[in-house]
Amino acid sequence: MKQEVPFSSKRFLLTLTLCACAVILLQNHDLSRALSFPLALGAVAAGLIVCFLLFLPAVWLKKRWDSDVLTLVQSRGRAAQGMVAVIYSAYFLYVAAYFLLPYTDMFCKKYYTETNPCPVAFLLLACCVYAASKGANVITRFGIFLFVLAMVTNFMMFGGSLSSLDMHNGSLGWQGNPADFGNHVIYFVTPCFIAALFACLSGDATRFRVHQIVTALGLTGVKYALVLFFLTFAAGEYAARQAYETFVLSRVAHFGDYAGVESLYMALATMSVFMIISLLLCGVTKAWHCGGNLWVLALLTGLVFALQLWAVSNDAIRELFTRPLLLIALTLITAAVIPLLVGWGERRRHA
């Protein structure tokens, strides 16, 4: 197994923040427009609070033993190691397909309409194999570049939408029904997949502090709130009538005669999904003690590509990979239940 190089926990949490941004970048009529803007912000806050709670078991492992669940389980028997590896492998492959499918669909429907989603997925996965072979340290370094790209994209997209603001487009009151609010909360819990990544890869992160997680989720919430604000009061009904509303927002942004920053938006979405899948691959190879092995990484990405092909040709399978509740349930197991069980086992072993 390739020895992972330690990396800064600040850089790691920054990378996870950028991964979480993919949720709002790929939003496609997942949120009801009947819910007023203040209640939508409340749903964002509620969802991210749940995400923070799912971080706590892994935080306990990190603070108590300066390790992660995959490292601690190596002291157990082969049966326990194998079971944990299978569970995390299945989960990470599911999450990879969960984000790859909407990304390729958006790319082909909104940006490059003459291509097929499968070649796009193949090329992206090939890049992910190379990145994962270099390890999480290199991927988190790339996160610094992506953070700069995100700042430029956000400035262009939000700044270019200021002239289109119309506060009559949406409601600032308290309008909406409990079902819509609940659906919003569920949607904004889906960034919890980064808690599972933290649970598996945080053992190599140095100088960790709990407030770094709070900062990461806070920045994520600001990003979500700004997108919701400009979708409601700038793009309005124009975005509501089209698929992938955040992409539409990037297209309508303009500075005088210069209009549309969809290329920057697509670059940011591509890099976010790229880092998600690359870190997921790092997690799987770490679970099987074969980090950096190109053959194993190629096999794993082959499985993700097979899921992509299957989902593209089968609507029932595609539906399976677009269910937020299923993602949250699986994350609860991998980010909370298993780390708690491993932590309790460590306490009993050292007692």
Side-chain angles (χ1 to χ4, degrees):
M1 175 180 174
K2 177 182 176 181
Q3 185 66 34
E4 184 61 71
V5 179
F7 44 83
S8 166
S9 61
K10 290 182 180 179
R11 203 167 70 208
F12 182 42
L13 268 299
L14 175 65
T15 303
L16 293 182
T17 301
L18 297 168
C19 291
C21 288
V23 172
I24 200 69
L25 293 175
L26 301 177
Q27 195 264 134
N28 183 25
H29 297 302
D30 298 296
L31 303 173
S32 171
R33 301 301 289 262
L35 196 69
S36 63
F37 179 67
L39 287 177
L41 290 185
V44 171
L48 293 180
I49 288 172
V50 175
C51 291
F52 176 75
L53 295 177
L54 290 174
F55 268 96
L56 294 182
V59 169
W60 176 42
L61 299 185
K62 181 65 177 174
K63 298 292 287 185
R64 178 67 177 80
W65 293 282
D66 192 23
S67 189
D68 55 56
V69 64
L70 296 181
T71 302
L72 290 174
V73 82
Q74 291 177 17
S75 61
R76 309 298 176 85
R78 288 186 176 273
Q81 293 182 45
M83 182 181 300
V84 169
V86 168
I87 293 172
Y88 279 99
S89 298
Y91 171 75
F92 286 152
L93 292 176
Y94 177 85
V95 176
Y98 186 93
F99 286 99
L100 185 62
L101 280 167
Y103 166 75
T104 54
D105 184 66
M106 179 185 66
F107 186 94
C108 298
K109 287 181 177 178
K110 307 297 291 185
Y111 190 70
Y112 201 156
T113 57
E114 298 179 359
T115 191
N116 184 280
C118 294
V120 175
F122 180 83
L123 292 174
L124 182 61
L125 289 172
C127 296
C128 293
V129 168
Y130 177 77
S133 69
K134 297 300 180 181
N137 177 50
V138 173
I139 297 171
T140 58
R141 285 184 180 179
F142 180 73
I144 299 174
F145 163 76
L146 183 57
F147 179 75
V148 176
L149 174 63
M151 292 299 99
V152 173
T153 303
N154 290 335
F155 173 79
M156 297 291 287
M157 187 164 63
F158 300 142
S161 301
L162 285 173
S163 59
S164 303
L165 281 178
D166 183 356
M167 302 309 290
H168 297 291
N169 284 340
S171 172
L172 289 173
W174 299 91
Q175 299 177 5
N177 59 62
D180 287 336
F181 182 80
N183 289 335
H184 272 63
V185 172
I186 290 171
Y187 183 79
F188 289 117
V189 175
T190 55
C192 63
F193 74 92
I194 65 174
L197 283 172
F198 181 85
C200 294
L201 301 175
S202 59
D204 297 306
T206 59
R207 299 184 296 278
F208 169 72
R209 299 291 183 274
V210 177
H211 70 79
Q212 294 166 358
I213 294 177
V214 177
T215 302
L217 293 176
L219 290 174
T220 302
V222 171
K223 168 75 173 184
Y224 291 177
L226 287 172
V227 170
L228 291 176
F229 177 81
F230 283 99
L231 279 177
T232 303
F233 298 107
E237 292 300 320
Y238 177 70
R241 291 192 298 265
Q242 302 188 51
Y244 297 104
E245 294 137 290
T246 313
F247 178 88
V248 176
L249 179 64
S250 71
R251 176 165 283 178
V252 301
H254 63 278
F255 294 90
D257 294 333
Y258 178 78
V261 294
E262 61 267 26
S263 295
L264 285 173
Y265 165 85
M266 186 56 67
L268 179 59
T270 301
M271 293 299 100
S272 295
V273 176
F274 161 78
M275 288 205 305
I276 290 172
I277 297 176
S278 299
L279 288 174
L280 292 170
L281 292 175
C282 289
V284 177
T285 54
K286 183 176 181 178
W288 292 104
H289 317 301
C290 54
N293 189 305
L294 280 174
W295 291 106
V296 175
L297 289 169
L299 174 62
L300 293 170
T301 51
L303 292 174
V304 176
F305 187 65
L307 290 174
Q308 166 84 14
L309 293 175
W310 194 13
V312 167
S313 60
N314 190 312
D315 290 339
I317 300 301
R318 183 183 184 86
E319 178 68 21
L320 182 67
F321 288 100
T322 56
R323 294 181 178 178
L325 277 176
L326 180 56
L327 175 67
I328 295 168
L330 294 175
T331 303
L332 178 64
I333 296 171
T334 53
V337 175
I338 295 179
L340 284 174
L341 293 175
V342 171
W344 288 334
E346 285 296 305
R347 287 185 61 182
R348 292 179 61 185
R349 195 162 65 92
H350 293 286

